[in-house]
Amino acid sequence: MALDELKSAIPDYAKDLRLNLGSVIGNSDLPQQQLWGTVLACAIASRSPKVLRELEPEAKANLSAEAFTAAKSAAAIMAMNNVFYRTRHLLSDPEYGTMRAGLRMNVIGNPGVEKVDFELWSLAVSAINGCGQCLDSHEQVLRKADVSREVIQEAVKIAAVIQAVGVTLDSEAVLAE
């Protein structure tokens, strides 16, 4: 199992990450599609080649072809949106917030899976990318769809752990050179 390989690669000083990785994936109450879509989208957003290489096969095995593509789409569109909307939010000139974005985002309206799943994956990626405006937007859509705060927090925990594992393993690879 790739998850076990990934956990065994985590150094002892980051044992908490090893335990958390096993817990957020292995003990998750999320339905399989929500869980593995979140895992895949976050592995992509982590930008860690090792994390993506290890988690992608298991995500592929646990997702339909449509959900697999949709999770990748969530990571892709949020890579763009998180930069754009975070920048608009951080600029002190409020006029930018009134300007038309002019960017295609059709996949958000028609992701090929349940809207709630896509929104959850988008929220998790936004947590990694640090876009408060996107986090608020996706959280509001999820809450209006009666998604519990516990489910939302579960996705954010997955994002946090995957990101931390990626940072740790990538830094270890650099230090080993």
Side-chain angles (χ1 to χ4, degrees):
M1 175 189 260
L3 181 57
D4 289 335
E5 274 191 45
L6 191 59
K7 288 179 358 186
S8 70
I10 298 171
D12 285 340
Y13 70 80
K15 179 181 177 185
D16 289 332
L17 298 182
R18 184 181 317 124
L19 297 171
N20 287 333
L21 185 63
S23 177
V24 299
I25 295 176
N27 298 330
S28 177
D29 290 330
L30 294 177
Q32 287 297 297
Q33 180 164 297
Q34 286 184 355
L35 170 64
W36 286 102
T38 302
V39 168
L40 178 60
C42 289
I44 293 167
S46 77
R47 298 173 185 86
S48 171
K50 180 156 184 71
V51 167
L52 183 56
R53 266 194 304 275
E54 296 299 330
L55 294 177
E56 183 271 343
E58 200 159 345
K60 194 171 208 170
N62 283 285
L63 293 169
S64 67
E66 296 81 11
F68 184 80
T69 299
K72 293 193 311 182
S73 296
I77 198 68
M78 296 319 297
M80 176 185 74
N81 283 359
N82 292 157
V83 170
F84 181 78
Y85 288 104
R86 183 179 62 238
T87 299
R88 280 191 2 175
H89 174 75
L90 292 173
L91 289 169
S92 60
D93 184 346
E95 188 67 28
Y96 290 103
T98 66
M99 297 170 69
R100 183 177 169 278
L103 297 171
R104 293 191 182 273
M105 303 173 217
N106 295 330
V107 72
I108 294 172
N110 187 18
V113 294
E114 292 291 323
K115 180 96 167 125
V116 165
D117 293 353
F118 192 83
E119 289 288 332
L120 191 67
W121 304 337
S122 297
L123 176 125
V125 171
S126 296
I128 289 173
N129 292 334
C131 181
Q133 189 172 359
C134 292
L135 281 166
D136 282 342
S137 175
H138 295 291
E139 189 266 349
Q140 288 170 13
V141 170
L142 289 164
R143 295 294 295 141
K144 284 180 187 166
D146 293 323
V147 174
S148 71
R149 285 179 178 86
E150 290 77 15
V151 166
I152 292 167
Q153 180 169 292
E154 184 92 11
V156 173
K157 286 171 27 179
I158 292 167
V161 172
I162 288 175
Q163 173 68 8
V165 169
V167 167
T168 301
L169 294 179
D170 290 354
S171 66
E172 283 297 309
V174 169
L175 294 173
E177 291 177 358

